[in-house]
Amino acid sequence: MEDPVFAFGLIADVQYADIDDGQNYLRTRRRFYRGSAGLLRDAVQQWRRERVRCVVQLGDIIDGHNRRCDASDRALDTVMAELDACTVDVHHVWGNHEFYNFSRSSLLSSRLNSAPKTGTDSGSDLIHDDIYAYEFSPAPNFRFVLLDAYDLSVIGREEESQKHTHSWRILTQHNHNLQDLNQPPVSVGLEQRFVKFNGGFSEQQLQWLDGVLTLSDHKQERVLIFSECVCHLPVHPCAADPICLAWNHEAVLSVLRSHRSVLCFIAGHDHDGGRCTDSSGAQHITLEGVIETPPHSHAFATVYLYEDRMVMKGRGRVEDLIITYS
């Protein structure tokens, strides 16, 4: 049987808190706060058996309830202890719950800043001091691009900053529910995305993404580098509920569609998950969230990269998926 080039683990929205089960914001779904750490532990054990090269954690690793209980650091220590058993690199995406618990400056100096510090072909540091985006290559001819979906945000930026002012203007132009900006401005349609728990991408980050993908398209030795973009917020309307989309998702899609190297875009945030193939051929994957997964099930995946295909082996709520490429 053919061996893959490498494999990596994938998990989203653990949202651990040492509290009893509760409900989502709309009080329509059950959330298993304390049990999510056990599901993370099961995933790590499986990844160790499968000898993955790395793990990508798609954000919201601890829940915002921890901040109200003054337990953010303790909760983070709990989940990081589970991930320490991986014995491979874990790449952390930041979601809205990271910013409910910590300031951006605190996150940049924490273990959730997984940006490589090498500056070589196998990795790079952050693209800017306050933009949590970087790229890394776990194996020849494959490149991962980790994006900061809260680069423009009113929860991820200091109130006195230019980006907070700009983000507030964007949000309130579309959402006039100033008493509760987590309530969508409309009941149906793409405008639902303009809520406080979402965010977007600055022009600087989009230009950087375009540059990285251009290099992947036209590597000096003329070898196509297959790129996988990972982010907390989905950017394709057919891969998630509209209320979960990035504010300027169209701008990201425009960049992705202009590059032949893009294999897939992987996100979290929408706990129900989603899948679709874009007109460009790129696959958009929204991974099901651990937090709404009952203890008897699972929600994670192992992804195997071959020379001609990507095979995602899902566990529990996450379905299998095969993407072919050449």
Side-chain angles (χ1 to χ4, degrees):
M1 181 178 292
E2 177 191 4
D3 290 331
V5 176
F6 73 99
F8 68 95
L10 200 58
I11 197 165
D13 298 276
V14 175
Q15 288 184 224
Y16 168 77
D18 187 15
I19 59 176
D20 293 338
D21 295 348
Q23 294 178 304
N24 62 353
Y25 184 77
L26 297 175
R27 306 188 68 79
T28 58
R29 304 283 290 274
R30 190 174 182 182
R31 292 189 169 177
F32 304 90
Y33 295 107
R34 191 174 286 120
S36 65
L39 298 190
L40 176 60
R41 184 182 310 124
D42 292 344
V44 169
Q45 291 173 351
Q46 183 64 34
W47 293 328
R48 290 192 65 174
R49 287 192 290 269
E50 295 172 330
R51 298 184 179 181
V52 299
R53 183 80 55 91
C54 64
V55 169
V56 178
Q57 185 274 117
L58 291 166
D60 285 3
I61 196 167
I62 64 172
D63 193 85
H65 280 298
N66 289 293
R67 181 66 177 269
R68 292 187 282 275
C69 301
D70 195 27
S72 300
D73 290 326
R74 188 163 63 250
L76 183 59
D77 286 344
T78 297
V79 292
M80 295 304 280
E82 300 294 350
L83 287 170
D84 283 343
C86 280
T87 70
V88 297
D89 290 339
V90 179
H91 294 271
H92 297 283
V93 174
W94 294 352
N96 48 309
H97 283 264
E98 273 73 28
F99 292 111
Y100 296 157
N101 283 282
F102 306 105
S103 68
R104 180 171 285 264
S105 59
S106 295
L107 287 169
L108 286 167
S109 61
S110 76
R111 293 181 64 194
L112 289 177
N113 180 352
S114 52
K117 304 298 191 295
T118 61
T120 68
D121 280 346
S122 62
S124 64
D125 210 334
L126 298 178
I127 65 172
H128 188 272
D129 288 346
D130 73 341
I131 300 177
Y132 184 63
Y134 65 88
E135 45 105 359
F136 66 98
S137 178
N141 298 346
F142 291 95
R143 187 169 302 280
F144 282 65
V145 186
L146 188 148
L147 297 174
D148 185 348
Y150 292 86
D151 185 5
L152 298 180
S153 169
V154 296
I155 59 172
R157 293 293 176 188
E158 298 296 330
E159 288 191 12
E160 64 272 14
S161 69
Q162 267 191 331
K163 282 190 174 177
H164 186 281
T165 301
H166 180 50
S167 302
W168 179 264
R169 188 179 302 117
I170 292 171
L171 179 57
T172 55
Q173 272 181 344
H174 296 271
N175 191 334
H176 304 299
N177 300 324
L178 298 184
Q179 296 302 312
D180 186 0
L181 285 167
N182 281 321
Q183 288 288 346
V186 294
S187 57
V188 295
L190 296 181
E191 288 290 299
Q192 292 178 81
R193 71 187 188 275
F194 289 104
V195 285
K196 189 176 179 180
F197 55 76
N198 291 337
F201 307 85
S202 66
E203 186 60 32
Q204 181 181 3
Q205 187 175 178
L206 292 172
Q207 290 177 2
W208 171 80
L209 173 62
D210 185 57
V212 170
L213 296 178
T214 297
L215 287 176
S216 294
D217 288 344
H218 306 291
K219 195 70 170 147
Q220 286 183 353
E221 57 269 37
R222 307 299 296 174
V223 174
L224 180 64
I225 307 295
F226 291 106
S227 298
E228 306 210 19
C229 297
V230 295
C231 180
H232 186 64
L233 297 181
V235 298
H236 201 295
C238 296
D241 190 302
I243 200 174
C244 293
L245 290 173
W247 290 345
N248 56 342
H249 67 97
E250 304 102 323
V252 183
L253 282 174
S254 179
V255 173
L256 298 177
R257 287 167 176 164
S258 66
H259 296 282
R260 65 193 182 104
S261 62
V262 179
L263 179 61
C264 61
F265 188 102
I266 308 174
H269 198 47
D270 185 342
H271 300 166
D272 286 334
R275 312 282 188 275
C276 79
T277 303
D278 187 52
S279 57
S280 65
Q283 184 77 26
H284 285 257
I285 301 167
T286 304
L287 203 72
E288 288 76 4
V290 170
I291 184 61
E292 292 181 5
T293 303
H296 62 267
S297 186
H298 289 106
F300 68 94
T302 303
V303 182
Y304 301 89
L305 276 301
Y306 295 86
E307 296 290 350
D308 62 347
R309 68 195 184 279
M310 179 183 114
V311 178
M312 186 170 83
K313 175 61 179 175
R315 299 301 197 283
R317 297 173 62 213
V318 179
E319 295 183 357
D320 296 349
L321 178 68
I322 299 176
I323 305 173
T324 58
Y325 48 85
S326 58

